[in-house]
Amino acid sequence: MNAARYAELSGLSLGAAGLAAAEATAAALDILAPLAPAEPLGHYRYQIPELGEGGACSLFGQLAEEPYDLRPILGGQTDANDALLARLNAAVEAITGQTQVDWLGLYPAKVNPAGEKVLVKFAYRGAPSRPEFPLTPEFAAISNNATVGLSGKGRLIQDVAAYLKEGGEYYTCDPKVQAELCIPLYDEAGNTIGILDAEAFSPHYFDDEKLGVFVGLALWTATQVG
């Protein structure tokens, strides 16, 4: 899938600079990915916040005793999973360094061991955060991630405070976040197979070129997890 088709499907507005950045980013990640060294266990487990009453909200800054483990939802630890997680983590590391975004995560859609369809965080950089987002209309009412995962349409909030003031629904994980980009991952047929979430601590962070870089990461990620 090319960047122009992605923009059409997602509803994002990308100018010439953004489209060019998207294509260049996807191509650069293709070159980077095979160089990523596998870490047999390190990429499978990560710290997460405690969940509040009913499991709807994370308690920011209060970590759960047990880290989240990707192995059950991935079907175990295998050479293929080692390599996949290494590639995704290398890509997130590279794009975080390039853009200086404050938080970045990749969430393919999977069925968890409880039989629930969820977005699950495969790779991220930034503060610990929720590992799974239920793909249900009920959860979408409070979650951009679930909304984008169900609708297949991108969501860009350039000023979280203004968005909330206007009555927008928002799942607050880190109160420092002032701008957020949440965009789909698509397979070649245009089906939504996950999301990318990026957050910045300053409003109006996502200019056209930065938006294109994240679209390029989404294009590339879809080829890895689809």
Side-chain angles (χ1 to χ4, degrees), residues 99-105 125 144-145 155-164 170-183 196-207 210-211 214:
T99 64
Q100 295 298 295
V101 73
D102 294 292
W103 201 94
L104 178 60
R125 291 296 182 275
N144 280 329
N145 288 6
R155 180 169 283 191
L156 173 59
I157 300 174
Q158 291 280 30
D159 188 330
V160 170
Y163 179 76
L164 288 170
Y170 192 75
Y171 179 95
T172 299
C173 178
D174 186 339
K176 295 190 295 294
V177 173
Q178 296 187 51
E180 180 176 11
L181 174 70
C182 191
I183 58 176
L196 175 156
D197 189 43
E199 299 172 345
F201 295 165
S202 56
H204 303 285
Y205 165 87
F206 297 98
D207 60 24
K210 285 193 181 79
L211 182 57
F214 293 113

Side-chain angles (χ1 to χ4, degrees), residues 34-55:
L35 305 177
E39 294 183 20
L41 185 59
H43 289 145
Y44 288 89
R45 290 162 56 86
Y46 52 77
Q47 289 185 307
I48 58 173
E50 290 277 6
L51 291 182
E53 187 176 350

Side-chain angles (χ1 to χ4, degrees), residues 53-90:
E53 187 176 350
C57 296
S58 299
L59 302 178
F60 182 70
Q62 186 172 327
L63 296 180
E65 186 174 332
E66 286 295 319
Y68 184 79
D69 193 331
L70 283 164
R71 287 175 292 180
I73 207 166
L74 282 174
Q77 183 178 351
T78 65
D79 290 345
N81 287 337
D82 287 352
L84 171 63
L85 294 179
R87 292 195 301 272
L88 295 180
N89 275 277

Side-chain angles (χ1 to χ4, degrees), residues 105-157:
L106 303 175
Y107 296 78
K110 296 290 179 183
V111 176
N112 67 17
E116 303 160 330
K117 190 171 184 182
V118 296
L119 298 167
V120 59
K121 189 172 64 181
F122 273 32
Y124 79 102
R125 291 296 182 275
S129 63
R130 187 188 186 99
E132 295 183 8
F133 287 83
L135 278 170
T136 64
E138 294 77 19
F139 202 80
I142 61 166
S143 167
N144 280 329
N145 288 6
T147 296
V148 172
L150 289 174
S151 70
K153 297 297 181 183
R155 180 169 283 191
L156 173 59
I157 300 174

